[in-house]
Amino acid sequence: MTSHAMTPALTLADASAEQGPLGAVASFLRAWPEMWPSLWLATLDTVYMVWWASVFSVLVGLPLGVLLVATDRGGLVPAPFVRALLSAIVNIGRSLPFIVLMVAVLALTRFLVGTTLGPTAAIVPLSIGAIPFFARLVETALREVDRGVVEAAHAMGTRRITIVGKVMLPEALPGLIAGLVMTVVTLISYSAMAGAIGGGGLGDLAIREGYQRFNDHYLWATVILLIVVVQVVQSLGDLWVRRLARR
Amino acid sequence: MIDAVGLHKVYRLKKRRVTALNGVDLRVEPGEIYGVVGQSGAGKSTLLRTVNLLERPDAGTVRVAGEDLTSLRGAGLRSARRRIGMVHQHFALLASRTVAGNVAFPLEVAGAGRAERRARVGELLELVGLADKARAHPSQLSGGQKQRVGIARALASRPDVLLSDEATSALDPATTDSILALLRRLRDELGLTILLITHEMDVIKRICDSAAIMEEGEFRESGRVLDLIGTPGSLLARSLFPLPDRGGPDTVVVTYPRSYDEPLMSELTRRFDVDVNILGGGVEQVAGQSVGRLIVDLRGARRAQALSYLAEHGLLVEEAGQ
Ligand SMILES: Nc1ncnc2c1ncn2[C@@H]1O[C@H](COP(=O)(O)OP(=O)(O)O)[C@@H](O)[C@H]1O
Ligand SMILES: [Mg+2]
């Protein structure tokens, strides 16, 4: 990281030498090789945070979404009180702005990870922010499943747990994948916010180098990389959903 | 095979209560095709769903193949349901599975091994004439093909009883014909007992041995189709053979509850010297018999004798004038 201390001075000098928008682009491109090592490391940090937060969102959000549907009236295990409770918890999680949630769970993060700084620490608030988000999307996807198909499964003497595993989840798969993609994209944007309190990754780099040191090149570069990451995730997700929908 | 007694079911909604079943008794003999017909909202689906306990009746008992389903819960009920196949109006196939996968579903649920599933699925698709569609997805099939898959799936666990909820209502007439023919063939070949509900009189006419007319959660009449047609004042006869609503004091409605070889009407004019003027009517194949209903003006001095002659030959004669 120390090698970058000189970067701002260099690029600032270059920028002043060339005028106009074309000149700005040219100097940005010339600064790129210099910036690349730190950009690459920051991208890896972002991917690392988002990957693990996505894993935890699925591990917790998927069962939570299933429970929201199953405990509803006319569901597999109607339990209005349990549903109201789960729904309230999810709503609280959904209504907190992510930046507030991050600060609010600092104590938990320190307890679980031992520090509140760095990408690993950021996984905690990211997961907590994304779990209720994904759970609602799971709920919506499961509600789209044809009730007639669930009823047919009952008529065939299917156990409820089997109905979840062999009917509801497979039937809702395209919707679940679309929800997962939306969650990952949201996590990428959250992860950039996590940079604001030292979470690491592209957001962190944008704030340290771009904002605090007035280096526009870093700002542009992180914006471009964030766009690329989101595009890759979205395209892969769309491809997957389309393959499923063709059946 | 199906013996349901005293079925009551009330749906309690927020503001009002809907009585869907109001004391229904239903008896379906082994190997019989029994049709329940009625308008939308009459309670037909509720009745059908009560037979496999998808809907638990508020009162009454349901026995299928001698077993009291109303006393069962949990695993016992699930295994009883596997002996009752069900076919749905909108097919209820899994979009996430192929045709073969759909038919295999009940076998998986019942814990059949892979080899057994594969063999049985092949057999069933052959039976319903879809052997070449095993790897297709439901979205690639026509309505009639989807319903054939639904039927194959319903038969997978070798049930004694097949329940059909408007299986042909989403299909065009030609496809309806082929599905009804398939159901009858399955009854003949497998000895299946079929309980079907429909809002189409045509279905009753084509394949049912027995029928019930349902209105507002009650059976208005029920029994063997031919017996019902031969019963005075039968709603079923009236629905199967709609007659023009005209006629004077001499008008009678004559019902032929079975096939006749003798030319009864010309016999009538010859023997009793009456004038017969046919105002309307029809003859149809019902339960394998040529059944007809005519509305005629019958005039002459010996009108009364002529009418008793018809009655002696097993025809049902009803005065339409008064
Ligand atoms: N799950 C339910 N909840 C409330 N009311 C219902 C439910 N199912 C059916 N009903 C009502 O019960 C009556 C009978 O319905 P149904 O058995 O579906 O009739 P059909 O199949 O003859 O059209 C209707 O008035 C319907 O609105
Ligand atoms: Mg219905």
Side-chain angles (χ1 to χ4, degrees):
Chain A
M1 292 277 163
T2 42
S3 63
H4 299 119
M6 287 173 60
T7 315
L10 260 177
T11 42
L12 275 177
D14 287 350
S16 60
E18 296 175 74
Q19 300 298 316
L22 268 181
V25 171
S27 76
F28 173 69
L29 288 178
R30 241 177 293 120
W32 185 266
E34 187 89 20
M35 297 190 291
W36 179 243
S38 54
L39 286 170
W40 176 241
L41 288 177
T43 306
L44 289 182
D45 279 349
T46 294
V47 170
Y48 166 81
M49 283 187 279
V50 170
W51 165 260
W52 284 109
S54 303
V55 168
F56 291 123
S57 302
V58 171
L59 286 181
V60 183
L62 188 66
L64 191 55
V66 169
L67 276 178
L68 281 171
V69 175
T71 54
D72 203 1
R73 265 188 328 117
L76 291 175
V77 279
F81 179 77
V82 175
R83 188 187 137 77
L85 191 73
L86 291 176
S87 188
I89 293 172
V90 165
N91 282 343
I92 291 169
R94 296 271 284 118
S95 55
L96 284 184
F98 182 67
I99 200 101
V100 175
L101 183 135
M102 258 187 329
V103 178
V105 301
L106 277 177
L108 178 67
T109 305
R110 182 168 298 125
F111 172 74
L112 288 175
V113 188
T115 171
T116 61
L117 292 176
T120 305
I123 293 171
V124 176
L126 285 175
S127 304
I128 293 175
I131 284 167
F133 183 78
F134 184 58
R136 279 289 181 221
L137 295 175
V138 169
E139 184 191 6
T140 310
L142 291 177
R143 280 194 198 293
E144 294 289 310
V145 174
D146 180 5
R147 292 187 66 93
V149 176
V150 174
E151 172 160 310
H154 277 296
M156 289 184 266
T158 316
R159 298 178 61 189
R160 287 176 291 198
I161 185 76
T162 312
I163 290 183
V164 172
K166 288 201 169 196
V167 178
M168 292 171 65
L169 293 176
E171 288 293 288
L173 197 56
L176 293 174
I177 303 300
L180 178 62
V181 170
M182 199 184 277
T183 304
V184 172
V185 168
T186 304
L187 274 171
I188 294 168
S189 108
Y190 282 178
S191 81
M193 261 191 264
I197 60 164
L202 287 167
D204 191 31
L205 191 63
I207 287 178
R208 272 191 297 112
E209 299 291 342
Y211 179 69
Q212 287 165 359
R213 298 194 181 172
F214 310 105
N215 185 336
D216 287 350
H217 290 163
Y218 268 98
L219 265 182
W220 297 354
T222 50
V223 166
I224 289 169
L225 282 173
L226 282 170
I227 290 174
V228 168
V229 172
V230 168
Q231 286 294 338
V232 167
V233 168
Q234 187 72 52
S235 312
L236 288 177
D238 288 349
L239 202 72
W240 194 357
V241 171
R242 235 176 299 128
R243 281 183 67 133
L244 287 173
R246 221 183 296 135
R247 65 196 182 184
Chain B
M1 184 56 84
I2 301 175
D3 209 345
V5 185
L7 296 180
H8 280 266
K9 178 76 191 184
V10 177
Y11 290 111
R12 287 165 190 82
L13 305 175
K14 284 210 183 68
K15 286 249 161 64
R16 51 198 189 94
R17 297 151 54 91
V18 179
T19 305
L21 296 179
N22 191 15
V24 173
D25 298 326
L26 170 72
R27 192 185 171 82
V28 184
E29 302 297 333
E32 185 176 46
I33 301 183
Y34 193 113
V36 178
V37 68
Q39 308 256 302
S40 168
K44 306 182 298 292
S45 294
T46 306
L47 173 64
L48 200 75
R49 294 156 45 78
T50 308
V51 172
N52 61 2
L53 266 281
L54 283 179
E55 215 65 78
R56 190 167 280 279
D58 297 331
T61 55
V62 176
R63 291 178 162 279
V64 176
E67 187 170 26
D68 181 1
L69 296 199
T70 26
S71 68
L72 297 177
R73 285 173 195 274
L77 182 55
R78 285 198 300 273
S79 91
R81 279 179 181 157
R82 283 182 217 135
R83 296 192 292 277
I84 305 174
M86 192 171 194
V87 183
H88 310 260
Q89 177 174 4
H90 299 294
F91 322 122
L93 300 177
L94 289 124
S96 54
R97 288 179 172 229
T98 60
V99 165
N102 270 281
V103 178
F105 186 91
L107 301 168
E108 283 172 34
V109 166
R114 181 183 289 269
E116 185 189 343
R117 289 203 305 261
R118 178 180 294 222
R120 183 88 183 114
V121 167
E123 225 172 275
L124 287 158
L125 290 179
E126 197 74 53
L127 185 68
V128 299
L130 282 180
D132 56 329
K133 296 285 184 202
R135 301 169 69 112
H137 276 278
S139 61
Q140 300 163 326
L141 302 182
S142 71
Q145 291 172 327
K146 283 182 198 166
Q147 198 54 291
R148 282 168 190 271
V149 178
I151 291 170
R153 179 177 68 177
L155 297 177
S157 52
R158 302 180 195 278
D160 313 312
V161 173
L162 186 69
L163 306 178
S164 157
D165 187 343
E166 307 263 11
T168 59
S169 298
L171 306 176
D172 61 64
T175 313
T176 295
D177 276 353
S178 77
I179 294 292
L180 292 180
L182 173 62
L183 288 177
R184 183 164 32 203
R185 204 185 88 215
L186 293 173
R187 187 273 302 272
D188 295 343
E189 286 177 9
L190 308 176
L192 215 53
T193 305
I194 301 178
L195 173 60
L196 61 85
I197 65 172
T198 180
H199 63 269
E200 296 166 316
M201 274 294 162
D202 232 33
V203 173
I204 302 287
K205 196 154 50 185
R206 295 246 176 91
I207 63 164
C208 292
D209 306 302
S210 295
I213 293 192
M214 194 167 188
E215 263 173 39
E216 296 179 356
E218 294 174 18
F219 277 3
R220 279 293 124 82
E221 48 181 63
S222 64
R224 309 277 306 170
V225 173
L226 293 175
D227 294 348
L228 288 178
I229 289 175
T231 304
S234 161
L235 291 168
L236 188 73
R238 251 185 276 162
S239 317
L240 286 178
F241 301 95
L243 296 176
D245 187 23
R246 55 193 168 109
D250 297 325
T251 311
V252 290
V253 173
V254 180
T255 307
Y256 295 63
R258 60 176 176 84
S259 310
Y260 283 84
D261 293 329
E262 320 92 289
L264 285 170
M265 281 299 161
S266 51
E267 192 69 22
L268 212 59
T269 50
R270 224 175 301 138
R271 283 204 193 188
F272 302 99
D273 193 27
V274 288
D275 289 323
V276 179
N277 182 27
I278 296 178
L279 303 175
V283 179
E284 304 237 28
Q285 284 294 125
V286 178
Q289 298 272 335
S290 251
V291 177
R293 231 166 150 251
L294 301 176
I295 183 163
V296 296
D297 268 342
L298 212 138
R299 296 201 186 89
R302 298 170 65 198
R303 182 175 186 270
Q305 284 98 315
L307 293 181
S308 13
Y309 173 83
L310 290 178
E312 277 158 24
H313 280 77
L315 272 64
L316 177 68
V317 181
E318 295 164 279
E319 295 281 354
Q322 46 276 52

